[in-house]
Amino acid sequence: GAVVSQHPSRVICKSGTSVKIECRSLDFQATTMFWYRQFPKQSLMLMATSNEGSKATYEQGVEKDKFLINHASLTLSTLTVTSAHPEDSSFYICSARPSGAGRADTQYFGPGTRLTVL
Amino acid sequence: GENVEQHPSTLSVQEGDSAVIKCTYSDSASNYFPWYKQELGKRPQLIIDIRSNVGEKKDQRIAVTLNKTAKHFSLHITETQPEDSAVYFCAASKGTGYSTLTFGKGTMLLVSP
């Protein structure tokens, strides 16, 4: 149980294009999902918290107009990197926190998306 | 906000030895402390977690201890195996429905056969 999928696993795009990444909780509902960015050999940096049915909460320094987040259902959150540039190249990982009492703080991670912007 | 320090950054052990990774946190309100294992290019996987009402938790070869007074917690792996080689992250949160995880910088564990 507690499986999170992420699609695509890898994407290569040209500078200036937009890329959408999907995060799905497959066997549980998640009121809250999180988007992280991870550079090589570094820790996970929280970008934003995605809440179903409401606006995402962005961490300081993360441009909300560049990283658009939509959490339209209890099992799906999307991250759109708009007008991507080479410096946006990174490993993007989502996580989902199961709804309901007793599991409100555990996060399960997706497999990540490797974004390369040429 | 919360700050989590993790040591060491790298740890090399021989197969069969024990490995200990230590973390400290700054926010006394934090009460949930998970540990994640991440293999190269893969997702972080939850391996064990502990809440502040418990001092120690064990799951086979893995154990976590928590000292609330000193604000530190540790991961203990006994009888290490080569497949334990990975990056391990500790994290802390307030454990509410709206809290976020603050991660340590990670420890690269290398277990040599």
Side-chain angles (χ1 to χ4, degrees):
Chain A
V3 178
V4 178
S5 71
Q6 204 170 325
H7 179 80
S9 58
R10 293 176 182 271
V11 58
I12 301 173
C13 69
K14 292 181 179 179
S15 185
T17 60
S18 294
V19 175
K20 179 186 281 189
I21 303 170
E22 294 187 346
C23 178
R24 294 181 186 272
S25 56
L26 299 184
D27 52 358
F28 64 96
Q29 293 185 332
T31 306
T32 304
M33 292 184 175
F34 303 87
W35 287 96
Y36 296 84
R37 186 171 179 176
Q38 188 176 35
F39 292 103
K41 297 185 179 181
Q42 292 192 23
S43 189
L44 295 108
M45 183 190 79
L46 179 65
M47 298 175 65
T49 302
S50 169
N51 296 298
E52 187 267 338
S54 64
K55 291 183 179 180
T57 303
Y58 290 82
E59 296 299 301
Q60 190 172 9
V62 178
E63 299 177 58
K64 59 183 178 182
D65 293 332
K66 180 169 184 62
F67 298 99
L68 301 179
I69 291 172
N70 184 280
H71 194 155
S73 77
L74 287 173
T75 59
L76 172 65
S77 175
T78 61
L79 169 68
T80 301
V81 183
T82 62
S83 187
H85 291 284
E87 57 265 30
D88 298 324
S89 299
S90 191
F91 193 50
Y92 293 87
I93 309 179
C94 71
S95 71
R97 188 159 62 193
S99 305
R103 304 172 68 188
D105 40 21
T106 305
Q107 291 185 29
Y108 299 96
F109 284 84
T113 296
R114 175 76 58 193
L115 170 64
T116 302
V117 185
L118 303 176
Chain B
E2 176 66 276
N3 182 48
V4 177
E5 298 284 341
Q6 183 171 347
H7 299 280
S9 56
T10 59
L11 179 59
S12 294
V13 299
Q14 291 291 121
E15 182 176 3
D17 288 350
S18 295
V20 180
I21 302 171
K22 299 182 179 182
C23 288
T24 60
Y25 61 99
S26 61
D27 191 341
S28 57
S30 290
N31 59 10
Y32 175 64
F33 308 94
W35 286 88
Y36 288 87
K37 174 184 179 182
Q38 187 179 28
E39 297 177 12
L40 188 62
K42 297 190 176 180
R43 78 182 81 200
Q45 291 195 308
L46 179 68
I47 56 172
I48 196 167
D49 56 12
I50 192 168
R51 301 174 197 278
S52 61
N53 58 344
V54 175
E56 183 175 357
K57 184 176 178 180
K58 191 173 181 180
D59 182 4
Q60 299 184 335
R61 297 186 296 108
I62 295 173
V64 57
T65 58
L66 171 66
N67 184 325
K68 287 172 54 181
T69 303
K71 294 206 283 279
H72 67 69
F73 56 112
S74 301
L75 177 71
H76 304 254
I77 306 174
T78 58
E79 300 173 29
T80 54
Q81 301 167 2
E83 50 266 39
D84 293 330
S85 297
V87 178
Y88 291 80
F89 292 100
C90 64
S93 83
K94 293 184 175 61
T96 68
Y98 301 95
S99 64
T100 60
L101 285 173
T102 300
F103 284 87
K105 292 189 183 300
T107 297
M108 180 176 288
L109 174 64
L110 177 61
V111 181
S112 302

